Amino acid sequence: MLFPDYRPRRLRQSASLRRMVRETQLQVQDLILPLFAVEGKDVKNAIASMPGHFQLSLDHLVAVAREAHELGVPAVILFGIPTKKDPMGTQAYAKDGIVQRAVRAIKSKLPELTVITDVCLCEYTDHGHCGVVKGQTIDNDLSLDLIAQTALSHAKAGADMVAPSDMMDGRVTEIRNVLDEAELSHVPIMSYAAKYCSAYYGPFRQAAESAPRFGDRSTYQMDPANAREALREVSMDVEEGADIVMVKPALPYLDIVYRIKEEFDLPVAAYNVSGEYAMIKAAAEKGWLDGPRVMMETLTAIKRAGADLILTYFAVEAAKVLNDR
């Protein structure tokens, strides 16, 4: 039997050969670790649906950030859970808010670690929505100033980057303007540009205590069926001044990651969200999957699709595997 001149198996014969010709190289510096900050001292509340992750008081938060930093993870992204919530989410932009204090705590101990802050109102409003509510409607334009003030307060606290996740139209422009006016033009914006109204966020809403009290977020987050709309969303955010654009979730939207990377000459981030993490953890616990292998295959797929940065709850675990290699 005659074979073609090219035999792909020739380059699969050993681990060394496979590494030499590997097209996609997942690296520790690709990873960003999400962290949840809460009030108090010596608080470490387990998140049942996200094994290995916790709501952390600042003392524990700094310790976890330090572990990630020592493993080579270049950045963390902070989410805050306040003790008090109100209709306008005032703790989101308070000078002494939980995220603002978390930024100062980490930067004082780990100045070389990049600290990114999630900019949204949902964790701070008593209704759980990402903007100002009028009746049963989330008012886009009334929300913009509060979102911009939140980003500004994070930057003043020392955040290295702000990441608006609210999906209000025009928020990147508003944030860029307030940062520039405050002489903080050096602070980059990582925009959740294509954020879908996804069922994969379930565990996160438990972790951040941010489930909406009425309705859902389909009037401002994207319809999962749409792809061309994602390109328009990204184009708008780029024109408004975004420095990095993000797709969220990652795995169900790898086609979107790929299309955005092909279309735009800008760093692309992808958020490997809580539901994706929880499914792998649950299946591994049942013995149905090899957890570490599926974790690395998943992260490699996200990188292969075009993501330059991956926000993932696997960051510390994956860093240990990559460092051992």
Side-chain angles (χ1 to χ4, degrees):
M1 184 176 181
L2 298 176
F3 288 92
D5 291 337
Y6 175 56
R7 292 179 179 237
R9 288 188 59 192
R10 288 177 183 146
L11 298 181
R12 302 173 190 157
Q13 297 304 304
S14 68
S16 176
L17 273 173
R18 291 192 295 273
R19 284 195 299 269
M20 287 170 63
V21 298
R22 188 161 290 151
E23 299 173 25
T24 302
Q25 300 290 341
L26 181 69
Q27 303 176 80
V28 177
Q29 56 263 36
D30 301 328
L31 309 175
I32 297 171
L33 174 66
L35 293 173
F36 299 95
V38 294
E39 303 283 358
K41 190 173 183 180
D42 195 26
V43 178
K44 193 174 182 181
N45 298 327
I47 302 167
S49 56
M50 297 172 64
H53 285 272
F54 305 84
Q55 296 175 335
L56 300 167
S57 55
L58 300 189
D59 47 342
H60 287 296
L61 192 82
V62 171
V64 173
R66 185 185 302 280
E67 179 189 13
H69 179 56
E70 290 174 351
L71 287 167
V73 176
V76 297
I77 183 166
L78 300 180
F79 300 87
I81 300 98
T83 54
K84 295 180 180 179
K85 302 189 180 194
D86 58 58
M88 303 299 285
T90 55
Q91 284 299 302
Y93 39 91
K95 184 177 180 181
D96 61 347
I98 183 61
V99 164
Q100 290 81 350
R101 285 186 286 118
V103 170
R104 290 192 285 266
I106 293 175
K107 293 303 291 186
S108 69
K109 300 294 185 183
L110 302 165
E112 294 181 0
L113 179 66
T114 295
V115 175
I116 307 166
T117 58
D118 179 82
V119 176
C120 197
L121 302 181
C122 63
E123 296 134 68
Y124 307 91
T125 55
D126 55 8
H127 48 72
H129 280 287
C130 302
V132 176
V133 169
K134 290 180 68 178
Q136 297 289 299
T137 301
I138 292 76
D139 192 302
N140 189 94
D141 294 1
L142 285 179
S143 303
L144 294 180
D145 180 62
L146 300 186
I147 291 162
Q149 290 307 312
T150 301
L152 179 61
S153 70
H154 292 175
K156 285 183 174 179
D160 299 295
M161 185 184 300
V162 294
S165 63
D166 53 281
M167 288 299 284
M168 298 297 127
D169 297 339
R171 88 273 204 214
V172 174
T173 291
E174 199 81 11
I175 292 170
R176 186 73 274 159
N177 287 343
V178 299
L179 291 177
D180 291 353
E181 289 168 6
E183 299 184 354
L184 291 165
S185 59
H186 62 282
V187 176
I189 298 171
M190 178 169 67
S191 169
Y192 289 65
K195 181 178 179 180
Y196 285 85
C197 187
S198 172
Y200 283 85
Y201 304 148
F204 173 90
R205 289 175 182 169
Q206 177 190 1
E209 300 178 10
S210 63
R213 300 286 181 180
F214 67 89
D216 59 23
R217 295 175 177 150
S218 58
T219 64
Y220 45 102
Q221 294 178 356
M222 285 184 56
D223 187 327
N226 292 355
R228 293 191 300 272
E229 183 185 4
L231 298 181
R232 292 196 295 272
E233 284 277 9
V234 171
S235 179
M236 288 171 58
D237 284 5
V238 171
E239 290 177 11
E240 291 178 24
D243 301 282
I244 300 171
V245 292
M246 188 198 302
V247 177
K248 182 182 181 182
L251 279 180
Y253 301 95
L254 293 182
D255 61 319
I256 306 301
V257 175
Y258 178 81
R259 290 177 68 166
I260 289 171
K261 188 62 179 178
E262 290 291 295
E263 184 79 16
F264 298 93
D265 186 20
L266 210 64
V268 176
Y271 202 139
N272 178 218
V273 300
S274 59
E276 299 168 51
Y277 174 87
M279 289 191 300
I280 292 172
K281 284 293 185 180
E285 185 179 334
K286 290 282 191 180
W288 296 339
L289 292 176
D290 181 329
R293 284 190 63 189
V294 173
M295 169 184 72
M296 298 308 292
E297 186 176 341
T298 296
L299 296 175
T300 300
I302 298 168
K303 179 77 181 287
R304 188 184 66 240
D308 301 290
L309 303 168
I310 304 172
L311 292 79
T312 178
Y313 301 98
F314 286 118
V316 168
E317 289 179 73
K320 290 177 180 177
V321 173
L322 291 167
N323 289 339
D324 285 346
R325 288 180 180 175

Short mmCIF file of all heavy atoms in Angstrom, two decimals, residues 123-147:
data_model
loop_
_atom_site.label_atom_id
_atom_site.label_comp_id
_atom_site.label_asym_id
_atom_site.label_seq_id
_atom_site.Cartn_x
_atom_site.Cartn_y
_atom_site.Cartn_z
N GLU A 123 -23.07 44.03 41.88
CA GLU A 123 -22.75 43.51 43.22
C GLU A 123 -23.14 44.48 44.33
O GLU A 123 -23.16 44.09 45.50
CB GLU A 123 -21.24 43.22 43.31
CG GLU A 123 -20.75 42.13 42.37
CD GLU A 123 -19.49 42.55 41.64
OE1 GLU A 123 -18.44 42.68 42.32
OE2 GLU A 123 -19.55 42.75 40.42
N TYR A 124 -23.45 45.72 43.97
CA TYR A 124 -23.66 46.77 44.96
C TYR A 124 -25.09 47.28 45.02
O TYR A 124 -25.46 48.01 45.94
CB TYR A 124 -22.71 47.94 44.65
CG TYR A 124 -21.28 47.49 44.52
CD1 TYR A 124 -20.74 47.12 43.29
CD2 TYR A 124 -20.45 47.42 45.65
CE1 TYR A 124 -19.43 46.69 43.18
CE2 TYR A 124 -19.14 46.98 45.54
CZ TYR A 124 -18.64 46.62 44.30
OH TYR A 124 -17.34 46.18 44.19
N THR A 125 -25.91 46.92 44.02
CA THR A 125 -27.30 47.38 44.01
C THR A 125 -28.20 46.36 44.70
O THR A 125 -27.98 45.15 44.58
CB THR A 125 -27.79 47.59 42.57
OG1 THR A 125 -27.60 46.39 41.81
CG2 THR A 125 -27.04 48.73 41.90
N ASP A 126 -29.22 46.84 45.36
CA ASP A 126 -30.13 45.92 46.04
C ASP A 126 -31.05 45.19 45.07
O ASP A 126 -31.65 44.17 45.42
CB ASP A 126 -30.94 46.64 47.12
CG ASP A 126 -31.71 47.85 46.60
OD1 ASP A 126 -31.77 48.05 45.37
OD2 ASP A 126 -32.27 48.59 47.44
N HIS A 127 -31.14 45.67 43.83
CA HIS A 127 -31.94 44.98 42.81
C HIS A 127 -31.11 44.02 41.97
O HIS A 127 -31.65 43.22 41.22
CB HIS A 127 -32.65 45.99 41.91
CG HIS A 127 -31.76 47.09 41.40
ND1 HIS A 127 -30.80 46.87 40.45
CD2 HIS A 127 -31.70 48.41 41.73
CE1 HIS A 127 -30.17 48.02 40.20
NE2 HIS A 127 -30.70 48.97 40.97
N GLY A 128 -29.78 44.11 42.08
CA GLY A 128 -28.91 43.16 41.40
C GLY A 128 -28.65 43.42 39.94
O GLY A 128 -28.01 42.61 39.27
N HIS A 129 -29.13 44.55 39.41
CA HIS A 129 -28.86 44.86 38.01
C HIS A 129 -27.61 45.72 37.87
O HIS A 129 -27.12 46.31 38.84
CB HIS A 129 -30.08 45.52 37.36
CG HIS A 129 -31.13 44.53 36.96
ND1 HIS A 129 -30.98 43.69 35.88
CD2 HIS A 129 -32.34 44.23 37.51
CE1 HIS A 129 -32.05 42.92 35.77
NE2 HIS A 129 -32.89 43.22 36.75
N CYS A 130 -27.13 45.80 36.63
CA CYS A 130 -25.83 46.41 36.37
C CYS A 130 -25.91 47.92 36.13
O CYS A 130 -24.89 48.54 35.78
CB CYS A 130 -25.18 45.74 35.16
SG CYS A 130 -24.96 43.96 35.38
N GLY A 131 -27.09 48.50 36.28
CA GLY A 131 -27.26 49.93 36.08
C GLY A 131 -28.40 50.46 36.93
O GLY A 131 -28.96 49.74 37.77
N VAL A 132 -28.75 51.69 36.69
CA VAL A 132 -29.82 52.35 37.43
C VAL A 132 -31.17 51.85 36.92
O VAL A 132 -31.41 51.77 35.72
CB VAL A 132 -29.73 53.88 37.25
CG1 VAL A 132 -30.91 54.57 37.93
CG2 VAL A 132 -28.40 54.40 37.80
N VAL A 133 -32.04 51.50 37.85
CA VAL A 133 -33.36 50.97 37.50
C VAL A 133 -34.42 52.06 37.63
O VAL A 133 -34.48 52.77 38.65
CB VAL A 133 -33.71 49.77 38.40
CG1 VAL A 133 -35.18 49.38 38.23
CG2 VAL A 133 -32.81 48.59 38.08
N LYS A 134 -35.23 52.19 36.58
CA LYS A 134 -36.41 53.06 36.62
C LYS A 134 -37.61 52.19 36.32
O LYS A 134 -37.77 51.71 35.19
CB LYS A 134 -36.28 54.18 35.58
CG LYS A 134 -35.23 55.22 35.93
CD LYS A 134 -35.15 56.30 34.87
CE LYS A 134 -36.41 57.17 34.85
NZ LYS A 134 -36.31 58.25 33.85
N GLY A 135 -38.43 51.96 37.34
CA GLY A 135 -39.54 51.02 37.16
C GLY A 135 -38.99 49.63 36.99
O GLY A 135 -38.34 49.08 37.88
N GLN A 136 -39.24 49.04 35.84
CA GLN A 136 -38.71 47.71 35.51
C GLN A 136 -37.67 47.79 34.39
O GLN A 136 -37.34 46.77 33.78
CB GLN A 136 -39.86 46.79 35.09
CG GLN A 136 -40.88 46.54 36.19
CD GLN A 136 -40.34 45.64 37.29
OE1 GLN A 136 -39.97 44.49 37.07
NE2 GLN A 136 -40.29 46.17 38.51
N THR A 137 -37.15 49.00 34.16
CA THR A 137 -36.21 49.22 33.06
C THR A 137 -34.85 49.63 33.60
O THR A 137 -34.76 50.43 34.54
CB THR A 137 -36.74 50.32 32.12
OG1 THR A 137 -38.02 49.91 31.61
CG2 THR A 137 -35.79 50.55 30.95
N ILE A 138 -33.80 49.11 32.98
CA ILE A 138 -32.44 49.53 33.33
C ILE A 138 -32.10 50.70 32.41
O ILE A 138 -32.02 50.56 31.19
CB ILE A 138 -31.43 48.39 33.15
CG1 ILE A 138 -31.67 47.28 34.21
CG2 ILE A 138 -30.00 48.89 33.32
CD1 ILE A 138 -32.84 46.41 33.96
N ASP A 139 -31.94 51.88 33.01
CA ASP A 139 -31.74 53.12 32.26
C ASP A 139 -30.26 53.25 31.87
O ASP A 139 -29.40 53.48 32.72
CB ASP A 139 -32.19 54.32 33.08
CG ASP A 139 -32.27 55.60 32.24
OD1 ASP A 139 -31.23 55.97 31.66
OD2 ASP A 139 -33.35 56.20 32.18
N ASN A 140 -30.00 53.12 30.60
CA ASN A 140 -28.63 53.14 30.10
C ASN A 140 -27.90 54.44 30.45
O ASN A 140 -26.85 54.45 31.09
CB ASN A 140 -28.63 52.95 28.58
CG ASN A 140 -27.25 52.75 28.00
OD1 ASN A 140 -26.80 51.61 27.83
ND2 ASN A 140 -26.54 53.83 27.68
N ASP A 141 -28.47 55.58 30.04
CA ASP A 141 -27.74 56.84 30.13
C ASP A 141 -27.59 57.33 31.57
O ASP A 141 -26.58 57.94 31.92
CB ASP A 141 -28.42 57.90 29.27
CG ASP A 141 -28.33 57.55 27.78
OD1 ASP A 141 -27.77 56.49 27.45
OD2 ASP A 141 -28.84 58.33 26.95
N LEU A 142 -28.58 57.04 32.42
CA LEU A 142 -28.45 57.41 33.82
C LEU A 142 -27.38 56.57 34.53
O LEU A 142 -26.84 56.99 35.55
CB LEU A 142 -29.79 57.24 34.55
CG LEU A 142 -30.86 58.29 34.28
CD1 LEU A 142 -32.13 57.95 35.07
CD2 LEU A 142 -30.36 59.69 34.66
N SER A 143 -27.07 55.42 33.97
CA SER A 143 -26.09 54.52 34.59
C SER A 143 -24.65 54.93 34.28
O SER A 143 -23.73 54.58 35.03
CB SER A 143 -26.31 53.09 34.10
OG SER A 143 -27.63 52.65 34.37
N LEU A 144 -24.45 55.65 33.19
CA LEU A 144 -23.09 55.88 32.70
C LEU A 144 -22.21 56.63 33.69
O LEU A 144 -21.05 56.29 33.91
CB LEU A 144 -23.12 56.63 31.36
CG LEU A 144 -23.74 55.85 30.18
CD1 LEU A 144 -23.71 56.70 28.92
CD2 LEU A 144 -23.00 54.54 29.97
N ASP A 145 -22.75 57.67 34.31
CA ASP A 145 -21.94 58.46 35.24
C ASP A 145 -21.52 57.62 36.44
O ASP A 145 -20.37 57.71 36.88
CB ASP A 145 -22.71 59.69 35.71
CG ASP A 145 -21.88 60.53 36.68
OD1 ASP A 145 -20.81 61.02 36.28
OD2 ASP A 145 -22.30 60.67 37.86
N LEU A 146 -22.42 56.80 36.96
CA LEU A 146 -22.08 55.98 38.13
C LEU A 146 -21.02 54.93 37.78
O LEU A 146 -20.12 54.65 38.57
CB LEU A 146 -23.33 55.30 38.68
CG LEU A 146 -24.45 56.22 39.15
CD1 LEU A 146 -25.57 55.41 39.80
CD2 LEU A 146 -23.93 57.28 40.12
N ILE A 147 -21.13 54.37 36.59
CA ILE A 147 -20.14 53.39 36.15
C ILE A 147 -18.78 54.05 35.98
O ILE A 147 -17.74 53.52 36.40
CB ILE A 147 -20.61 52.72 34.84
CG1 ILE A 147 -21.83 51.82 35.14
CG2 ILE A 147 -19.50 51.93 34.19
CD1 ILE A 147 -22.63 51.46 33.92
#
